[in-house]
PDB file of all heavy atoms in Angstrom:
ATOM      1  N   GLY M   1      24.580 -68.637 -33.358  1.00 96.00           N
ATOM      2  CA  GLY M   1      24.964 -69.841 -34.073  1.00 96.00           C
ATOM      3  C   GLY M   1      26.457 -69.857 -34.379  1.00 96.00           C
ATOM      4  O   GLY M   1      27.167 -68.883 -34.143  1.00 96.00           O
ATOM      5  N   GLY M   2      26.908 -70.995 -34.903  1.00 97.00           N
ATOM      6  CA  GLY M   2      28.318 -71.095 -35.254  1.00 97.00           C
ATOM      7  C   GLY M   2      28.757 -72.527 -35.401  1.00 97.00           C
ATOM      8  O   GLY M   2      27.940 -73.445 -35.468  1.00 97.00           O
ATOM      9  N   LEU M   3      30.070 -72.700 -35.450  1.00 98.00           N
ATOM     10  CA  LEU M   3      30.686 -74.019 -35.580  1.00 98.00           C
ATOM     11  C   LEU M   3      31.193 -74.457 -34.210  1.00 98.00           C
ATOM     12  O   LEU M   3      31.894 -73.687 -33.532  1.00 98.00           O
ATOM     13  CB  LEU M   3      31.849 -73.951 -36.568  1.00 98.00           C
ATOM     14  CG  LEU M   3      32.732 -75.194 -36.694  1.00 98.00           C
ATOM     15  CD1 LEU M   3      31.926 -76.364 -37.252  1.00 98.00           C
ATOM     16  CD2 LEU M   3      33.929 -74.896 -37.585  1.00 98.00           C
ATOM     17  N   VAL M   4      30.848 -75.663 -33.822  1.00 98.00           N
ATOM     18  CA  VAL M   4      31.259 -76.188 -32.526  1.00 98.00           C
ATOM     19  C   VAL M   4      31.597 -77.666 -32.678  1.00 98.00           C
ATOM     20  O   VAL M   4      31.023 -78.353 -33.533  1.00 98.00           O
ATOM     21  CB  VAL M   4      30.146 -75.956 -31.476  1.00 98.00           C
ATOM     22  CG1 VAL M   4      28.886 -76.714 -31.841  1.00 98.00           C
ATOM     23  CG2 VAL M   4      30.616 -76.297 -30.079  1.00 98.00           C
ATOM     24  N   GLN M   5      32.497 -78.137 -31.842  1.00 98.00           N
ATOM     25  CA  GLN M   5      32.862 -79.542 -31.878  1.00 98.00           C
ATOM     26  C   GLN M   5      31.820 -80.390 -31.164  1.00 98.00           C
ATOM     27  O   GLN M   5      31.104 -79.895 -30.274  1.00 98.00           O
ATOM     28  CB  GLN M   5      34.223 -79.746 -31.223  1.00 98.00           C
ATOM     29  CG  GLN M   5      35.378 -79.142 -31.996  1.00 98.00           C
ATOM     30  CD  GLN M   5      36.726 -79.502 -31.399  1.00 98.00           C
ATOM     31  OE1 GLN M   5      36.823 -79.915 -30.242  1.00 98.00           O
ATOM     32  NE2 GLN M   5      37.776 -79.351 -32.197  1.00 98.00           N
ATOM     33  N   PRO M   6      31.720 -81.655 -31.520  1.00 98.00           N
ATOM     34  CA  PRO M   6      30.815 -82.550 -30.787  1.00 98.00           C
ATOM     35  C   PRO M   6      31.110 -82.520 -29.291  1.00 98.00           C
ATOM     36  O   PRO M   6      32.275 -82.504 -28.880  1.00 98.00           O
ATOM     37  CB  PRO M   6      31.113 -83.921 -31.391  1.00 98.00           C
ATOM     38  CG  PRO M   6      31.591 -83.611 -32.784  1.00 98.00           C
ATOM     39  CD  PRO M   6      32.372 -82.340 -32.646  1.00 98.00           C
ATOM     40  N   GLY M   7      30.030 -82.493 -28.506  1.00 98.00           N
ATOM     41  CA  GLY M   7      30.163 -82.373 -27.068  1.00 98.00           C
ATOM     42  C   GLY M   7      30.194 -80.948 -26.569  1.00 98.00           C
ATOM     43  O   GLY M   7      30.127 -80.713 -25.359  1.00 98.00           O
ATOM     44  N   GLY M   8      30.307 -80.002 -27.462  1.00 98.00           N
ATOM     45  CA  GLY M   8      30.370 -78.598 -27.098  1.00 98.00           C
ATOM     46  C   GLY M   8      29.003 -78.000 -26.831  1.00 98.00           C
ATOM     47  O   GLY M   8      27.986 -78.711 -26.790  1.00 98.00           O
ATOM     48  N   PHE M   9      28.983 -76.679 -26.669  1.00 98.00           N
ATOM     49  CA  PHE M   9      27.730 -76.007 -26.358  1.00 98.00           C
ATOM     50  C   PHE M   9      27.645 -74.673 -27.091  1.00 98.00           C
ATOM     51  O   PHE M   9      28.649 -74.080 -27.487  1.00 98.00           O
ATOM     52  CB  PHE M   9      27.591 -75.778 -24.852  1.00 98.00           C
ATOM     53  CG  PHE M   9      28.652 -74.885 -24.264  1.00 98.00           C
ATOM     54  CD1 PHE M   9      28.452 -73.513 -24.186  1.00 98.00           C
ATOM     55  CD2 PHE M   9      29.859 -75.414 -23.825  1.00 98.00           C
ATOM     56  CE1 PHE M   9      29.434 -72.682 -23.666  1.00 98.00           C
ATOM     57  CE2 PHE M   9      30.840 -74.585 -23.300  1.00 98.00           C
ATOM     58  CZ  PHE M   9      30.626 -73.222 -23.236  1.00 98.00           C
ATOM     59  N   LEU M  10      26.408 -74.231 -27.275  1.00 98.00           N
ATOM     60  CA  LEU M  10      26.103 -72.922 -27.835  1.00 98.00           C
ATOM     61  C   LEU M  10      24.845 -72.402 -27.155  1.00 98.00           C
ATOM     62  O   LEU M  10      24.012 -73.198 -26.695  1.00 98.00           O
ATOM     63  CB  LEU M  10      25.842 -72.996 -29.338  1.00 98.00           C
ATOM     64  CG  LEU M  10      27.021 -73.198 -30.290  1.00 98.00           C
ATOM     65  CD1 LEU M  10      26.503 -73.441 -31.703  1.00 98.00           C
ATOM     66  CD2 LEU M  10      27.962 -72.003 -30.271  1.00 98.00           C
ATOM     67  N   ARG M  11      24.695 -71.088 -27.138  1.00 98.00           N
ATOM     68  CA  ARG M  11      23.445 -70.487 -26.694  1.00 98.00           C
ATOM     69  C   ARG M  11      22.921 -69.578 -27.793  1.00 98.00           C
ATOM     70  O   ARG M  11      23.584 -68.623 -28.188  1.00 98.00           O
ATOM     71  CB  ARG M  11      23.612 -69.693 -25.389  1.00 98.00           C
ATOM     72  CG  ARG M  11      22.266 -69.251 -24.833  1.00 98.00           C
ATOM     73  CD  ARG M  11      22.364 -68.561 -23.497  1.00 98.00           C
ATOM     74  NE  ARG M  11      22.689 -67.149 -23.612  1.00 98.00           N
ATOM     75  CZ  ARG M  11      22.352 -66.221 -22.723  1.00 98.00           C
ATOM     76  NH1 ARG M  11      21.661 -66.566 -21.645  1.00 98.00           N
ATOM     77  NH2 ARG M  11      22.718 -64.968 -22.880  1.00 98.00           N
ATOM     78  N   LEU M  12      21.729 -69.912 -28.249  1.00 98.00           N
ATOM     79  CA  LEU M  12      21.061 -69.081 -29.248  1.00 98.00           C
ATOM     80  C   LEU M  12      20.164 -68.063 -28.548  1.00 98.00           C
ATOM     81  O   LEU M  12      19.573 -68.356 -27.512  1.00 98.00           O
ATOM     82  CB  LEU M  12      20.218 -69.936 -30.189  1.00 98.00           C
ATOM     83  CG  LEU M  12      20.921 -71.091 -30.902  1.00 98.00           C
ATOM     84  CD1 LEU M  12      19.943 -71.780 -31.854  1.00 98.00           C
ATOM     85  CD2 LEU M  12      22.146 -70.615 -31.645  1.00 98.00           C
ATOM     86  N   SER M  13      20.079 -66.897 -29.162  1.00 98.00           N
ATOM     87  CA  SER M  13      19.192 -65.854 -28.660  1.00 98.00           C
ATOM     88  C   SER M  13      18.265 -65.402 -29.787  1.00 98.00           C
ATOM     89  O   SER M  13      18.646 -65.422 -30.947  1.00 98.00           O
ATOM     90  CB  SER M  13      19.995 -64.643 -28.168  1.00 98.00           C
ATOM     91  OG  SER M  13      20.875 -64.984 -27.122  1.00 98.00           O
ATOM     92  N   CYS M  14      17.076 -64.994 -29.416  1.00 97.00           N
ATOM     93  CA  CYS M  14      16.121 -64.450 -30.374  1.00 97.00           C
ATOM     94  C   CYS M  14      15.487 -63.219 -29.753  1.00 97.00           C
ATOM     95  O   CYS M  14      14.754 -63.326 -28.766  1.00 97.00           O
ATOM     96  CB  CYS M  14      15.057 -65.475 -30.717  1.00 97.00           C
ATOM     97  SG  CYS M  14      13.689 -64.811 -31.700  1.00 97.00           S
ATOM     98  N   ALA M  15      15.815 -62.068 -30.317  1.00 96.00           N
ATOM     99  CA  ALA M  15      15.260 -60.800 -29.842  1.00 96.00           C
ATOM    100  C   ALA M  15      14.019 -60.464 -30.661  1.00 96.00           C
ATOM    101  O   ALA M  15      14.083 -60.406 -31.892  1.00 96.00           O
ATOM    102  CB  ALA M  15      16.296 -59.688 -29.962  1.00 96.00           C
ATOM    103  N   ALA M  16      12.918 -60.238 -29.970  1.00 95.00           N
ATOM    104  CA  ALA M  16      11.642 -59.981 -30.640  1.00 95.00           C
ATOM    105  C   ALA M  16      11.224 -58.529 -30.493  1.00 95.00           C
ATOM    106  O   ALA M  16      11.479 -57.897 -29.466  1.00 95.00           O
ATOM    107  CB  ALA M  16      10.562 -60.886 -30.053  1.00 95.00           C
ATOM    108  N   SER M  17      10.578 -58.026 -31.525  1.00 92.00           N
ATOM    109  CA  SER M  17       9.991 -56.690 -31.478  1.00 92.00           C
ATOM    110  C   SER M  17       8.700 -56.697 -32.283  1.00 92.00           C
ATOM    111  O   SER M  17       8.512 -57.545 -33.157  1.00 92.00           O
ATOM    112  CB  SER M  17      10.963 -55.643 -32.026  1.00 92.00           C
ATOM    113  OG  SER M  17      11.302 -55.926 -33.363  1.00 92.00           O
ATOM    114  N   GLY M  18       7.822 -55.770 -31.951  1.00 87.00           N
ATOM    115  CA  GLY M  18       6.567 -55.664 -32.681  1.00 87.00           C
ATOM    116  C   GLY M  18       5.479 -56.612 -32.210  1.00 87.00           C
ATOM    117  O   GLY M  18       4.419 -56.688 -32.841  1.00 87.00           O
ATOM    118  N   ILE M  19       5.728 -57.354 -31.126  1.00 84.00           N
ATOM    119  CA  ILE M  19       4.716 -58.247 -30.564  1.00 84.00           C
ATOM    120  C   ILE M  19       4.645 -58.015 -29.061  1.00 84.00           C
ATOM    121  O   ILE M  19       5.576 -57.467 -28.466  1.00 84.00           O
ATOM    122  CB  ILE M  19       5.022 -59.737 -30.832  1.00 84.00           C
ATOM    123  CG1 ILE M  19       6.368 -60.148 -30.224  1.00 84.00           C
ATOM    124  CG2 ILE M  19       4.962 -60.022 -32.319  1.00 84.00           C
ATOM    125  CD1 ILE M  19       6.655 -61.636 -30.329  1.00 84.00           C
ATOM    126  N   PHE M  20       3.533 -58.462 -28.475  1.00 83.00           N
ATOM    127  CA  PHE M  20       3.391 -58.387 -27.025  1.00 83.00           C
ATOM    128  C   PHE M  20       4.079 -59.633 -26.475  1.00 83.00           C
ATOM    129  O   PHE M  20       3.431 -60.640 -26.173  1.00 83.00           O
ATOM    130  CB  PHE M  20       1.921 -58.346 -26.627  1.00 83.00           C
ATOM    131  CG  PHE M  20       1.691 -57.750 -25.270  1.00 83.00           C
ATOM    132  CD1 PHE M  20       0.736 -56.759 -25.078  1.00 83.00           C
ATOM    133  CD2 PHE M  20       2.404 -58.174 -24.162  1.00 83.00           C
ATOM    134  CE1 PHE M  20       0.519 -56.204 -23.825  1.00 83.00           C
ATOM    135  CE2 PHE M  20       2.200 -57.640 -22.904  1.00 83.00           C
ATOM    136  CZ  PHE M  20       1.250 -56.639 -22.746  1.00 83.00           C
ATOM    137  N   PHE M  21       5.387 -59.546 -26.325  1.00 84.00           N
ATOM    138  CA  PHE M  21       6.240 -60.716 -26.123  1.00 84.00           C
ATOM    139  C   PHE M  21       5.798 -61.574 -24.947  1.00 84.00           C
ATOM    140  O   PHE M  21       5.713 -62.788 -25.058  1.00 84.00           O
ATOM    141  CB  PHE M  21       7.684 -60.259 -25.918  1.00 84.00           C
ATOM    142  CG  PHE M  21       8.662 -61.388 -25.718  1.00 84.00           C
ATOM    143  CD1 PHE M  21       9.178 -62.065 -26.809  1.00 84.00           C
ATOM    144  CD2 PHE M  21       9.054 -61.779 -24.448  1.00 84.00           C
ATOM    145  CE1 PHE M  21      10.072 -63.108 -26.638  1.00 84.00           C
ATOM    146  CE2 PHE M  21       9.941 -62.816 -24.257  1.00 84.00           C
ATOM    147  CZ  PHE M  21      10.450 -63.486 -25.359  1.00 84.00           C
ATOM    148  N   SER M  22       5.520 -60.958 -23.814  1.00 80.00           N
ATOM    149  CA  SER M  22       5.265 -61.730 -22.598  1.00 80.00           C
ATOM    150  C   SER M  22       4.020 -62.592 -22.705  1.00 80.00           C
ATOM    151  O   SER M  22       3.844 -63.529 -21.929  1.00 80.00           O
ATOM    152  CB  SER M  22       5.165 -60.801 -21.394  1.00 80.00           C
ATOM    153  OG  SER M  22       4.055 -59.936 -21.532  1.00 80.00           O
ATOM    154  N   ARG M  23       3.148 -62.297 -23.641  1.00 85.00           N
ATOM    155  CA  ARG M  23       1.904 -63.051 -23.782  1.00 85.00           C
ATOM    156  C   ARG M  23       2.005 -64.181 -24.796  1.00 85.00           C
ATOM    157  O   ARG M  23       1.037 -64.925 -24.983  1.00 85.00           O
ATOM    158  CB  ARG M  23       0.762 -62.119 -24.207  1.00 85.00           C
ATOM    159  CG  ARG M  23       0.362 -61.102 -23.174  1.00 85.00           C
ATOM    160  CD  ARG M  23      -0.817 -60.277 -23.676  1.00 85.00           C
ATOM    161  NE  ARG M  23      -1.266 -59.291 -22.708  1.00 85.00           N
ATOM    162  CZ  ARG M  23      -2.257 -58.429 -22.910  1.00 85.00           C
ATOM    163  NH1 ARG M  23      -2.900 -58.425 -24.066  1.00 85.00           N
ATOM    164  NH2 ARG M  23      -2.600 -57.562 -21.975  1.00 85.00           N
ATOM    165  N   ASN M  24       3.146 -64.266 -25.459  1.00 89.00           N
ATOM    166  CA  ASN M  24       3.196 -65.140 -26.625  1.00 89.00           C
ATOM    167  C   ASN M  24       3.958 -66.440 -26.439  1.00 89.00           C
ATOM    168  O   ASN M  24       4.934 -66.533 -25.698  1.00 89.00           O
ATOM    169  CB  ASN M  24       3.810 -64.382 -27.798  1.00 89.00           C
ATOM    170  CG  ASN M  24       2.904 -63.291 -28.274  1.00 89.00           C
ATOM    171  OD1 ASN M  24       1.722 -63.504 -28.508  1.00 89.00           O
ATOM    172  ND2 ASN M  24       3.435 -62.090 -28.396  1.00 89.00           N
ATOM    173  N   TYR M  25       3.474 -67.423 -27.171  1.00 93.00           N
ATOM    174  CA  TYR M  25       4.169 -68.686 -27.344  1.00 93.00           C
ATOM    175  C   TYR M  25       5.404 -68.429 -28.197  1.00 93.00           C
ATOM    176  O   TYR M  25       5.322 -67.778 -29.227  1.00 93.00           O
ATOM    177  CB  TYR M  25       3.216 -69.668 -28.040  1.00 93.00           C
ATOM    178  CG  TYR M  25       3.841 -70.920 -28.601  1.00 93.00           C
ATOM    179  CD1 TYR M  25       3.738 -72.119 -27.918  1.00 93.00           C
ATOM    180  CD2 TYR M  25       4.481 -70.920 -29.830  1.00 93.00           C
ATOM    181  CE1 TYR M  25       4.264 -73.292 -28.445  1.00 93.00           C
ATOM    182  CE2 TYR M  25       5.016 -72.072 -30.362  1.00 93.00           C
ATOM    183  CZ  TYR M  25       4.899 -73.261 -29.667  1.00 93.00           C
ATOM    184  OH  TYR M  25       5.433 -74.408 -30.190  1.00 93.00           O
ATOM    185  N   MET M  26       6.541 -68.948 -27.765  1.00 95.00           N
ATOM    186  CA  MET M  26       7.785 -68.812 -28.516  1.00 95.00           C
ATOM    187  C   MET M  26       8.392 -70.191 -28.718  1.00 95.00           C
ATOM    188  O   MET M  26       8.308 -71.050 -27.836  1.00 95.00           O
ATOM    189  CB  MET M  26       8.784 -67.929 -27.754  1.00 95.00           C
ATOM    190  CG  MET M  26       8.302 -66.519 -27.453  1.00 95.00           C
ATOM    191  SD  MET M  26       8.066 -65.529 -28.937  1.00 95.00           S
ATOM    192  CE  MET M  26       9.738 -65.465 -29.586  1.00 95.00           C
ATOM    193  N   GLY M  27       9.033 -70.374 -29.847  1.00 97.00           N
ATOM    194  CA  GLY M  27       9.620 -71.671 -30.111  1.00 97.00           C
ATOM    195  C   GLY M  27      10.901 -71.584 -30.907  1.00 97.00           C
ATOM    196  O   GLY M  27      11.183 -70.560 -31.530  1.00 97.00           O
ATOM    197  N   TRP M  28      11.653 -72.659 -30.857  1.00 98.00           N
ATOM    198  CA  TRP M  28      12.831 -72.845 -31.704  1.00 98.00           C
ATOM    199  C   TRP M  28      12.573 -74.064 -32.582  1.00 98.00           C
ATOM    200  O   TRP M  28      12.183 -75.129 -32.081  1.00 98.00           O
ATOM    201  CB  TRP M  28      14.083 -73.069 -30.866  1.00 98.00           C
ATOM    202  CG  TRP M  28      14.607 -71.842 -30.205  1.00 98.00           C
ATOM    203  CD1 TRP M  28      14.390 -71.449 -28.921  1.00 98.00           C
ATOM    204  CD2 TRP M  28      15.441 -70.842 -30.806  1.00 98.00           C
ATOM    205  NE1 TRP M  28      15.034 -70.256 -28.677  1.00 98.00           N
ATOM    206  CE2 TRP M  28      15.693 -69.871 -29.812  1.00 98.00           C
ATOM    207  CE3 TRP M  28      16.016 -70.676 -32.065  1.00 98.00           C
ATOM    208  CZ2 TRP M  28      16.480 -68.739 -30.061  1.00 98.00           C
ATOM    209  CZ3 TRP M  28      16.795 -69.561 -32.303  1.00 98.00           C
ATOM    210  CH2 TRP M  28      17.027 -68.607 -31.312  1.00 98.00           C
ATOM    211  N   TYR M  29      12.791 -73.900 -33.871  1.00 98.00           N
ATOM    212  CA  TYR M  29      12.687 -74.980 -34.841  1.00 98.00           C
ATOM    213  C   TYR M  29      14.038 -75.098 -35.534  1.00 98.00           C
ATOM    214  O   TYR M  29      14.862 -74.187 -35.486  1.00 98.00           O
ATOM    215  CB  TYR M  29      11.601 -74.663 -35.874  1.00 98.00           C
ATOM    216  CG  TYR M  29      10.197 -74.738 -35.340  1.00 98.00           C
ATOM    217  CD1 TYR M  29       9.696 -73.782 -34.464  1.00 98.00           C
ATOM    218  CD2 TYR M  29       9.339 -75.771 -35.721  1.00 98.00           C
ATOM    219  CE1 TYR M  29       8.407 -73.855 -33.971  1.00 98.00           C
ATOM    220  CE2 TYR M  29       8.038 -75.852 -35.237  1.00 98.00           C
ATOM    221  CZ  TYR M  29       7.590 -74.893 -34.366  1.00 98.00           C
ATOM    222  OH  TYR M  29       6.302 -74.965 -33.884  1.00 98.00           O
TER     223      TYR M  29
END
């Protein structure tokens, strides 16, 4: 996350642990 100007871009990442990741539904809210 961060501050960006209108028209710009960002890439969010979410690193998961403690779950069987490949089997799970993942979402961004």
